[in-house]
Amino acid sequence: MAVLEGLEFGKSDFVLLDEVNIEQFMENLKLRFEKARIYTFIGEGVVSVNPYKQMDIYGKEDINAYRGRELYENPPHLYAVADAAYKAMKRRAKDTCIVVSGESGAGKTEASKYIMQYIAAITNPSQRAEVESVKNVLLKSNCVLEAFGNAKTNRNDNSSRFGKYMDINFNFNGDPTGGHINNYLLEKSRVVQQNGGERNFHSFYQVKVYWSLHYTSYNDRYSHNAVLSALNVIGFSEEEIHSIYRILGTILILGNLQFETDRESVLVVGMEDVSHIAELISTEPNNVTKSLLYRTVATGAGEVIEKGHSEKEACFGRDAFTKALYERLFGWIVSRINAVIEVKDYNPVLHGKNTVIGVLDIYGFEIFDNNSFEQFCINYCNEKLQQLFIQLILCQEQDEYKREGITWQHIDYFNNQIIVDLVEQPHKGIISVLDEACLSVGKVTDTVCLESMDAKLGQHPHYTSRKLAPSDKTMEFHRDFRIRHYAGDVTYSVEGFLDKNKDPLFQDFKRLMFNSSNPVMKEMWPDGQLSITEVTKRPLTAATLFKNSIVALVEKLSCKEPYYVRCIKPNDMKSPALFDDARCQHQVAYLGLLENVRVRRAGFAYRQAYTRFLQRYKMTCEYTWPNHLMGTDREAVEAIVTQHGFQDDVAYGHTKLFVRTPKSLFTLEQERAALIPVLVLFLQKVWRGALARMRCRRMRAIFVIMGCYKRYKVKVHFWEVARRFANVCNMADYGKSVEWPTPPAALTQFHSITQKWRAWQIVKNIPPSDMGEIRAKVAALGALNGERKDWGCGRSWERDYLANVSHSHSTAISNFILFSQELRNKDEYNQVIFSGFCRKMNRFNKSSDRALLITDKHIYKLDPKKQFKVLKRLPLEVVSILFKCAPSSESHLTPARELPLYIHLHPKGGEEKCKVSDLHFVVLMMEGSSTMLHRCVLCCIDSQSGRGPQYLLYTQCVLL
């Protein structure tokens, strides 16, 4: 850390001082304050000096700089301590707490707010709505509690006049899930009386803005708007917010209420104020007047009577009622916030361990010119917190070294247990004496109580009074006593101690508020439902209630891992440039900072049980990963330390390892962070392999089941086919009327083949010599698709029609035979594929008789009237047949100029061309007479495979 900031800024950690003495400590503290370095470490704690000015060190960039970093990686800051507490909670699933302490005006409230803002900023990276809602309520609660619990004092413009401890609950992901707020000892006496130069609670100046009375200042108006916004965010309804300001208005009017004596009775001066109060608290004016002027009491015989107040008693009752109204209002606001932020539907089995970070912001040590009962309680609270600090940091630290057998030089420190016992010891302590005086029968005054304390505590070294020290003229006889606190001597005035300890409030006021028609106010006063005869048990005194709450607070803090923020007030002038050496040295002394430095310097920054240390860092050593084979966990830890070269920076206890400097731990954390992704990838690989093997086994099982099921379905299908077609051989139609069962998917192709069985039974009797013609006719049947009624199915297809007697005249036949023989000799063809008469149509729709002869080498156009004269001869190699798809059965005529010889066809798909020479034979079927062919069927048989027909089409021919 010393490297992070130059030497001109001093030492960033007091543990690094060359010599540990008060002179060097103060010199370093003053140097850093003058260089605007307000934070300085003491080990894992931080010392904060109030700068009395705004500093640009709390922005988003600063939050990102400290997020997830170790304490020693960045300069000292509140964020470093907050992040250390958060990491300890998240890494080790251990509850932690941050104790912010110091005297009034040292900056505790601001420090607590910055800690809360940092925790809110680093959590919930996935921006889950429910977590964001909890964070917003936690942050906004600070604004509300400041307005109703803080006030301007002579030492501090925003002094907390109550103690606050907030628990923030986190889930296993480290995201806040809720919280709980405890408040301690609200200074309700401030409602009716303030010291000179001080103000009441901030809320009373904001209520004037709410009721549009007048604006006190811009800050009050701005704060009022912020409080209203916060109340809405938290979830207060409009009725509840209105009720809050009605109560504040009631308190303001009660403060102006006066009484006068008219002979033997007491009257209220100004009944319009009473009517206004009745309107605000939703009750009748007569009830308000009766509660202010009379007190209902029960006699020993059970009789209920009304006793009138004297003027002094009426003023006392008014003030008690005013203070109680504000105290109940403040307590109700806190409980209302707790109801919103409490952890709901939490189940440790489903949601994992619920960890907690506690933030304590409680009033600091106070020494005023006139110190009363409130200062006594506040300073007692600080004594308890100092005792906790001593126990955790000093006493327990040294006791642990001794218990673990670590060589250690004892450090002397002041143990303030003797002061705590002076205040809270049963039967002897000051609180016990106060309670006895309050319970005594008869007229017991504050002076009598002081005499009782002098008698019981006169020999105590930290207690004195004017009676015990007559020569000390700084105290008054029968009024003052002095306690020598760890922070210094404080003189208390005993006047009002008993009344404040009793905290009396007439039951009439409780019933008045419980009977209000306003449900919010009624909810604040549940004890008002008791009748006067039912209220018999004396309540606990204010001092005892406060003591019990502080004891419970200390118990909460003691079971958590503490992190300290020690706040120091540099001067009483609120100046950002003044450093009062004597003032600061006094605070350093009573906060025990020098002893803390000595313990940290001589001690160890980190300690952990061998088992937990090994579990966290065993992957950094080859001898301990994944499991060690050594005799004990300590030996395995020694192997880790030796491998990293930390032997001189550690000590081995009986059950724990002690690491002296944070740097060694940081090195281990860095190496562990680098190895975690590797281990995660390894685990992912193993798990993905396991998943793949499981899926493979599952798929194999599925295929086995599918195979068995398919075989079963095939068998069932065959059994059904066999059953249905058992006697088809004996049927006349060979089973044509029998319906085939629906086959399974695996037998679809096979099923289509088996359905041809009946056709084979018919075809097998046809002579092989007729099969070619049969195939052509079957193909023609499919191609014509029922469009022609008579297409020559019942006669023989001759192909060479010009040489056939049944289709031509005898003269024409003889002429054609002679012509074909001459042509065969001339062109040397082997076979006549087709011959027949046709009609030529020209572009003017005039027709002429022609003959067509197709051989295995040429296509001839003949003139039958001229002895079959060859009009045109085309080799088959240059002739192609065009197959072109058409949307209807009508043929497309091709203009003569486009073709030497083209036949337009209509297949069922696509456009394709093939050479006539590739075909084995072509059969043209006549339509109408044998002398004219203008419609035909072209059957093409593949000459390569012998299968046919490949193309069979019904078309119209146009010849050149």
Side-chain angles (χ1 to χ4, degrees):
M1 289 182 299
V3 181
L4 295 175
E5 294 183 327
L7 294 178
E8 68 272 15
F9 300 112
K11 301 293 179 64
S12 59
D13 193 331
F14 286 114
V15 176
L16 301 176
L17 291 174
D18 297 330
E19 293 183 17
V20 182
N21 53 50
I22 191 63
E23 291 78 14
Q24 285 207 12
F25 190 100
M26 294 303 301
E27 181 182 348
N28 190 65
L29 186 67
K30 182 177 182 179
L31 175 61
R32 292 185 62 78
F33 175 75
E34 292 173 347
K35 296 291 186 179
R37 298 298 190 270
I38 63 173
Y39 298 119
T40 311
F41 282 130
I42 301 181
E44 292 182 342
V46 69
V47 177
S48 171
V49 183
N50 192 341
Y52 287 118
K53 63 181 180 181
Q54 293 293 328
M55 300 192 70
D56 187 21
I57 57 173
Y58 305 104
K60 189 174 181 180
E61 292 182 357
D62 300 283
I63 292 174
N64 292 332
Y66 285 86
R67 183 200 301 264
R69 315 302 296 185
E70 299 299 330
L71 278 171
Y72 29 81
E73 291 186 75
N74 284 310
H77 201 290
L78 285 174
Y79 291 165
V81 175
D83 196 79
Y86 179 75
K87 287 201 300 287
M89 179 274 299
K90 192 173 180 180
R91 286 177 179 174
R92 304 198 297 272
K94 185 174 180 63
D95 293 343
T96 60
C97 64
I98 302 174
V99 180
V100 185
S101 59
E103 69 175 60
S104 179
K108 301 184 302 299
T109 300
E110 290 300 310
S112 300
K113 287 197 292 187
Y114 286 131
I115 289 170
M116 293 286 295
Q117 289 172 6
Y118 179 81
I119 293 174
I122 66 173
T123 54
N124 193 31
S126 59
Q127 297 294 306
R128 290 170 49 208
E130 61 272 20
V131 178
E132 284 298 305
S133 174
V134 171
K135 284 166 49 176
N136 288 336
V137 173
L138 290 173
L139 292 176
K140 293 297 183 180
S141 66
N142 283 327
C143 176
V144 175
L145 295 179
E146 274 190 28
F148 290 88
N150 289 24
K152 180 183 181 297
T153 66
N154 291 324
R155 295 189 172 190
N156 188 358
D157 291 342
N158 189 32
S159 177
S160 296
R161 308 319 299 162
F162 74 106
K164 179 181 70 175
Y165 174 72
M166 177 183 289
D167 268 334
I168 308 172
N169 297 83
F170 295 85
N171 59 16
F172 69 97
N173 282 332
D175 293 331
T177 58
H180 187 82
I181 299 173
N182 293 97
N183 64 296
Y184 303 95
L185 192 66
L186 177 71
E187 190 189 23
K188 59 183 178 181
S189 61
R190 180 171 292 272
V191 176
V192 296
Q193 183 181 5
Q194 306 93 38
N195 293 329
E198 297 187 349
R199 296 207 322 174
N200 209 328
F201 292 102
H202 298 323
S203 56
F204 289 107
Y205 303 91
Q206 296 169 11
V207 73
K208 296 177 181 180
V209 181
Y210 183 82
W211 292 114
S212 301
L213 299 178
H214 65 277
Y215 295 128
T216 56
S217 70
Y218 170 78
N219 287 338
D220 291 326
R221 186 167 69 253
Y222 175 80
S223 300
H224 168 70
N225 294 333
V227 170
L228 278 182
S229 174
L231 289 171
N232 287 316
V233 170
I234 293 171
F236 285 83
S237 66
E238 289 296 327
E239 181 185 4
E240 290 172 333
I241 295 174
H242 192 59
S243 298
I244 290 172
Y245 285 101
R246 285 167 67 121
I247 293 174
L248 293 176
T250 301
I251 293 173
L252 290 176
I253 298 173
L254 281 170
N256 297 327
L257 206 62
Q258 301 295 325
F259 302 95
E260 63 180 1
T261 304
D262 182 15
R263 297 181 182 179
E264 295 182 356
S265 61
V266 177
L267 301 176
V268 178
V269 178
M271 289 302 295
E272 62 275 6
D273 287 340
V274 173
S275 300
H276 198 178
I277 291 171
E279 180 184 356
L280 290 173
I281 63 175
S282 303
T283 188
E284 296 297 328
N286 290 337
N287 295 336
V288 177
T289 303
K290 186 176 179 182
S291 299
L292 289 170
L293 299 180
Y294 296 92
R295 177 186 176 190
T296 305
V297 296
T299 64
E303 184 181 357
V304 178
I305 61 174
E306 290 184 353
K307 180 183 177 182
H309 289 317
S310 65
E311 186 176 340
K312 182 178 179 181
E313 288 174 338
C315 291
F316 178 84
R318 175 203 62 198
D319 291 347
F321 181 43
T322 303
K323 292 186 289 186
L325 273 175
Y326 197 77
E327 183 183 38
R328 294 287 180 108
L329 171 63
F330 188 79
W332 177 81
I333 290 174
V334 173
S335 64
R336 185 72 176 76
I337 295 173
N338 284 333
V340 174
I341 64 177
E342 68 176 349
V343 180
K344 302 174 179 66
D345 302 325
Y346 173 73
N347 187 339
V349 178
L350 296 178
H351 305 120
K353 183 180 178 182
N354 188 354
T355 48
V356 171
I357 292 180
V359 179
L360 177 65
D361 172 20
I362 205 160
Y363 16 58
F365 199 84
E366 293 186 346
I367 305 176
F368 296 149
D369 294 333
N370 180 26
N371 301 292
S372 186
F373 180 78
E374 290 81 10
Q375 282 68 48
F376 170 76
C377 292
I378 288 171
N379 293 340
Y380 159 67
C381 170
N382 279 271
E383 290 285 356
K384 290 289 288 184
L385 293 178
Q386 177 66 9
Q387 182 196 30
L388 176 66
F389 173 75
I390 290 171
Q391 287 179 341
L392 294 179
I393 301 301
L394 305 177
C395 184
Q396 287 185 11
E397 182 111 355
Q398 298 192 79
D399 288 347
E400 184 176 35
Y401 295 148
K402 184 177 180 180
R403 186 171 56 252
E404 289 288 331
I406 302 297
T407 303
W408 173 259
Q409 183 178 359
H410 183 76
I411 295 175
D412 293 327
Y413 56 88
F414 171 69
N415 191 335
N416 71 331
Q417 182 64 46
I418 187 173
I419 304 175
V420 173
D421 291 339
L422 169 66
V423 177
E424 69 177 17
Q425 189 175 13
H427 310 298
K428 294 183 181 180
I430 295 176
I431 292 178
S432 178
V433 174
L434 288 173
D435 287 353
E436 287 179 6
C438 292
L439 295 174
S440 297
V441 179
K443 189 70 173 178
V444 180
T445 62
D446 295 324
T447 304
V448 173
C449 179
L450 178 60
E451 292 175 354
S452 178
M453 286 193 293
D454 289 342
K456 290 187 177 183
L457 303 172
Q459 302 301 317
H460 199 285
H462 290 267
Y463 175 86
T464 189
S465 68
R466 182 66 186 271
K467 180 180 180 180
L468 299 175
S471 60
D472 189 350
K473 297 184 179 180
T474 59
M475 293 184 290
E476 294 286 338
F477 279 108
H478 310 301
R479 191 192 73 179
D480 297 339
F481 68 94
R482 180 178 296 154
I483 296 177
R484 187 175 301 164
H485 287 283
Y486 78 95
D489 296 350
V490 182
T491 300
Y492 298 98
S493 172
V494 79
E495 291 179 353
F497 257 59
L498 291 183
D499 286 339
K500 292 177 180 178
N501 190 39
K502 289 178 184 177
D503 195 19
L505 179 67
F506 300 139
Q507 189 71 18
D508 302 77
F509 290 115
K510 298 179 182 178
R511 285 193 291 271
L512 173 69
M513 296 304 298
F514 179 78
N515 292 324
S516 168
S517 60
N518 186 309
V520 177
M521 298 183 188
K522 186 183 184 74
E523 182 185 348
M524 296 181 191
W525 298 83
D527 47 349
Q529 62 182 326
L530 300 175
S531 66
I532 188 64
T533 56
E534 293 177 305
V535 183
T536 57
K537 185 177 179 180
R538 187 185 296 271
L540 294 176
T541 62
T544 300
L545 288 172
F546 183 71
K547 181 191 75 172
N548 294 341
S549 65
I550 294 302
V551 170
L553 171 64
V554 170
E555 289 178 355
K556 276 186 178 181
L557 296 177
S558 61
C559 66
K560 296 177 173 62
E561 183 174 318
Y563 292 81
Y564 284 93
V565 178
R566 306 299 237 169
C567 298
I568 291 179
K569 185 177 182 180
N571 59 77
D572 290 327
M573 309 300 294
K574 304 177 186 177
S575 169
L578 179 62
F579 187 88
D580 189 333
D581 293 80
R583 189 84 173 79
C584 295
Q585 184 171 334
H586 176 68
Q587 296 175 70
V588 169
Y590 77 68
L591 288 173
L593 299 184
L594 206 59
E595 291 85 353
N596 190 8
V597 173
R598 290 194 179 103
V599 172
R600 285 294 182 185
R601 187 183 178 97
F604 298 87
Y606 176 80
R607 73 286 316 271
Q608 190 61 270
Y610 291 125
T611 304
R612 296 198 65 178
F613 183 90
L614 181 63
Q615 183 178 2
R616 183 163 186 82
Y617 300 112
K618 63 181 179 178
M619 72 282 297
T620 64
C621 179
E622 57 182 334
Y623 303 110
T624 57
W625 178 259
N627 295 300
H628 69 87
L629 301 176
M630 302 174 192
T632 62
D633 288 344
R634 172 173 173 168
E635 295 178 13
V637 170
E638 289 179 1
I640 296 174
V641 172
T642 303
Q643 178 167 319
H644 291 85
F646 300 153
Q647 301 93 317
D648 299 332
D649 199 41
V650 301
Y652 298 98
H654 298 311
T655 62
K656 293 182 179 180
L657 173 73
F658 292 80
V659 182
R660 189 175 301 276
T661 62
K663 189 174 182 180
S664 299
L665 188 67
F666 177 50
T667 303
L668 286 172
E669 283 291 335
Q670 276 188 318
E671 188 167 344
R672 180 180 182 272
L675 289 172
I676 287 296
V678 179
L679 298 178
V680 169
L681 287 175
F682 174 76
L683 293 175
Q684 288 178 340
K685 179 185 73 173
V686 173
W687 178 238
R688 286 169 179 165
L691 289 177
R693 285 187 289 274
M694 285 191 293
R695 283 195 295 267
C696 182
R697 288 194 293 268
R698 191 178 296 113
M699 291 299 295
R700 286 176 178 172
I702 291 172
F703 284 132
V704 170
I705 295 172
M706 289 173 60
C708 294
Y709 183 72
K710 286 179 180 179
R711 288 191 292 271
Y712 166 74
K713 294 294 288 183
V714 168
K715 291 179 182 178
V716 169
H717 179 70
F718 285 152
W719 293 336
E720 181 63 18
V721 170
R723 185 187 67 80
R724 294 190 181 188
F725 291 89
N727 298 317
V728 293
C729 293
N730 301 326
M731 297 173 64
D733 60 355
Y734 294 107
K736 181 178 180 181
S737 59
V738 178
E739 183 180 357
W740 285 79
T742 303
L747 292 179
T748 302
Q749 186 176 1
F750 179 78
H751 183 73
S752 62
I753 297 173
T754 55
Q755 285 182 325
K756 299 177 181 179
W757 172 83
R758 185 174 61 84
W760 172 249
Q761 294 296 321
I762 299 172
V763 172
K764 68 179 181 179
N765 297 322
I766 300 175
S769 58
D770 296 338
M771 287 304 296
E773 185 176 341
I774 293 298
R775 287 194 182 95
K777 290 181 177 181
V778 170
L781 176 65
L784 293 173
N785 197 23
E787 292 186 13
R788 288 189 57 78
K789 186 175 181 181
D790 182 14
W791 51 275
C793 179
R795 59 178 175 79
S796 176
W797 289 0
E798 302 294 342
R799 295 184 297 160
D800 192 1
Y801 293 98
L802 293 179
N804 195 319
V805 178
S806 59
H807 294 278
S808 302
H809 301 290
S810 57
T811 304
I813 291 174
S814 59
N815 291 337
F816 178 74
I817 291 174
L818 292 174
F819 167 76
S820 61
Q821 287 176 353
E822 292 177 1
L823 198 60
R824 183 189 299 268
N825 294 333
K826 180 180 178 182
D827 293 339
E828 297 181 351
Y829 63 84
N830 298 319
Q831 182 184 4
V832 175
I833 296 175
F834 176 82
S835 65
F837 293 103
C838 59
R839 185 175 294 277
K840 170 192 172 183
M841 305 289 293
N842 64 12
R843 68 185 66 183
F844 304 107
N845 205 23
K846 293 183 179 181
S847 63
S848 307
D849 290 335
R850 294 288 186 267
L852 180 66
L853 172 63
I854 302 176
T855 67
D856 54 2
K857 290 186 177 182
H858 297 85
I859 296 179
Y860 302 92
K861 182 174 67 171
L862 308 177
D863 186 352
K865 295 182 178 181
K866 296 181 179 181
Q867 313 292 314
F868 294 98
K869 178 182 178 182
V870 177
L871 300 179
K872 192 164 187 176
R873 179 179 64 178
L874 294 175
L876 289 181
E877 288 79 4
V878 299
V879 178
S880 62
I881 301 176
L882 175 66
F883 303 93
K884 185 175 182 180
C885 186
S888 67
S889 60
E890 293 297 326
S891 60
H892 287 210
L893 300 180
T894 302
R897 65 178 180 273
E898 296 182 8
L899 300 172
L901 174 61
Y902 267 88
I903 303 177
H904 281 253
L905 308 170
H906 303 273
K908 293 184 178 179
E911 180 178 288
E912 188 174 355
K913 291 183 180 181
C914 72
K915 298 278 188 166
V916 177
S917 57
D918 293 334
L919 306 177
H920 185 57
F921 63 86
V922 178
V923 178
L924 288 174
M925 296 169 45
M926 288 191 304
E927 175 189 7
S929 67
S930 59
T931 59
M932 186 185 304
L933 180 63
H934 60 91
R935 280 190 175 274
C936 64
V937 173
L938 175 63
C939 179
C940 307
I941 304 298
D942 191 342
S943 61
Q944 309 252 340
S945 63
R947 296 181 185 175
Q950 294 296 314
Y951 305 98
L952 178 64
L953 300 130
Y954 173 49
T955 187
Q956 181 170 347
C957 299
V958 178
L959 304 178
L960 295 177

